[in-house]
Amino acid sequence: TIGEEVDRFFNENWMRMHSLDQIEYISTIDSLKNLYFEHTNEADRAYSLSSEFIDVWTAEINYAFNALILRYPDRYLQFPPVPIELSQTSWEYLNETDVDHVSYSDLPGYASFTKAWVELKADQLITAEKAQRHYDLRKMEYIFSTITNTFENQELEDRWKSEFLKAHIEKQGYANAQPYLDQFYESVQTDAYRDIIDETVQSIKDAREGHMVKVYKSVDGFKLEAHVFQTQTPPNERSPAIVIFHGGGWNGGNPSWAFGRAKHFADHGMVAVAAHYRLTNEHDITALESMDDARDLIIWMRQNADSLHLDPEKITGYGWSAGAHLVSSAAIFPETDPESHFSSVPNALALVSPAV
């Protein structure tokens, strides 16, 4: 009943809440928590609840609602003219919520709070760094150092490193994960979490079998790969080609989403390339950078037509959703390489549910 009341409050006041200043916002969150705490006190008087139950329930309410405070800067007026940060007072309030507590680690609220807490701590450290490196590469380093400095419990340290590392590999690519894989294997002591990363890496290696993987571009330390599926053609002949861009709203997905389509077209006589492009992250990568990658990959295919055994004048650009936007942008906003004079414009477009 209280949950329904709180949900109704959020639905009716979400925009207004996230236009409040931090003190008012936290006060609102506290008032919602108190609905549960007051009920718990009433139930305790009526039924003599165990102290263990009260401790765990209190922790869950704090984790769940304090996670909302951690996300307050991102949601404050949604897109404010000037980014805001949590104040020192807010951090002092949040630091009372213990993340290094294995007894609470199975609570649903624990996972959402701790993930947001680690990410925000890492973001704070990144702001002090001036190096020209891809934001998500820098963030992984600071996430690992934050976890190391936060958790005394080895199992929790291993859990959070494995969770963030697995997500990084799946989103940013195996080529951009090696330093963090090395760090993980040097420190991990919990077999279950080592196994999770082992299985993730092995599944990626298995998926890379049977096709070539080439780095077509590297920018700010971030490697972008072309997954090339060859067709059965005589060595001296060139086949038509197709380059496939996955969807995912510009901020999700990876080239493996296109492997099935790439194999299909390779089986039907085309050199098929599953594209890897940078995903938006609200920091240093926007859809504009993703569009740059789409243009550069098509130019790279033409520059390497001999070794890839493809016809540079028979390249189809294929994409779905956001990927269809990217490949069509290579035609609508084209670029030409100044040295090779190859263009980014595909010879044909196959667009599925295009975001145009």
Side-chain angles (χ1 to χ4, degrees), residues 122 126-127 129-143 180 283-284:
I126 289 175
T127 57
E129 185 189 309
K130 304 300 181 183
Q132 277 295 111
R133 286 191 302 149
H134 189 286
Y135 169 83
D136 288 295
L137 299 182
R138 290 182 287 159
K139 186 169 183 176
M140 272 304 296
E141 290 187 10
Y142 288 120
I143 281 174
Y180 318 115
H283 292 276
D284 60 347

Side-chain angles (χ1 to χ4, degrees), residues 99-310:
V99 297
D100 193 21
H101 201 304
V102 71
S103 299
Y104 298 156
S105 60
D106 288 333
L107 296 173
Y110 171 85
S112 60
F113 175 84
T114 305
K115 182 176 185 294
W117 190 88
V118 170
E119 287 183 334
L120 209 54
K121 285 287 188 181
D123 283 336
Q124 285 185 318
L125 295 170
I126 289 175
T127 57
E129 185 189 309
K130 304 300 181 183
Q132 277 295 111
R133 286 191 302 149
H134 189 286
Y135 169 83
D136 288 295
L137 299 182
R138 290 182 287 159
K139 186 169 183 176
M140 272 304 296
E141 290 187 10
Y142 288 120
I143 281 174
F144 267 31
S145 64
T146 297
I147 292 171
T148 299
N149 295 330
T150 298
F151 295 94
E152 294 183 5
N153 183 282
Q154 184 67 44
E155 183 180 347
L156 288 178
E157 178 182 339
D158 294 343
R159 168 189 170 173
W160 284 107
K161 284 185 177 179
S162 69
E163 285 197 23
F164 279 106
L165 179 56
K166 185 173 185 289
H168 178 84
I169 294 170
E170 292 173 347
K171 189 167 185 179
Q172 308 304 338
Y174 181 64
N176 296 302
Q178 198 58 55
Y180 318 115
L181 281 166
D182 292 342
Q183 291 178 41
F184 175 79
Y185 283 123
E186 286 174 5
S187 65
V188 66
Q189 295 181 29
T190 310
D191 290 341
Y193 297 118
R194 182 187 291 106
D195 291 344
I196 288 172
I197 297 303
D198 285 345
E199 290 169 8
T200 300
V201 170
Q202 190 58 52
S203 68
I204 290 172
K205 289 180 177 179
D206 291 344
R208 292 160 80 96
E209 290 290 329
H211 69 270
M212 293 191 301
V213 183
K214 301 284 188 180
V215 174
Y216 73 89
K217 178 180 179 180
S218 182
V219 54
D220 292 337
F222 193 85
K223 297 176 182 177
L224 292 158
E225 296 180 326
H227 294 259
V228 184
F229 293 75
Q230 289 285 358
T231 187
Q232 298 297 322
T233 56
N236 296 326
E237 291 187 16
R238 294 188 179 188
S239 302
I242 187 165
V243 56
I244 307 169
F245 291 82
H246 66 80
W250 300 273
N251 67 352
N254 61 64
S256 70
W257 289 14
F259 286 0
R261 289 171 171 83
K263 290 175 183 175
H264 167 81
F265 289 114
D267 289 343
H268 286 74
M270 304 181 82
V271 175
V273 176
H276 180 199
Y277 59 86
R278 286 172 290 175
L279 301 173
T280 60
N281 59 18
E282 299 182 10
H283 292 276
D284 60 347
I285 306 299
T286 71
L288 295 176
E289 282 70 34
S290 307
M291 291 160 66
D292 281 341
D293 298 339
R295 287 188 286 261
D296 289 342
L297 177 52
I298 293 169
I299 290 172
W300 176 87
M301 289 173 65
R302 290 191 166 120
Q303 290 172 332
N304 293 274
D306 288 342
S307 61
L308 297 176
H309 305 291
L310 63 82

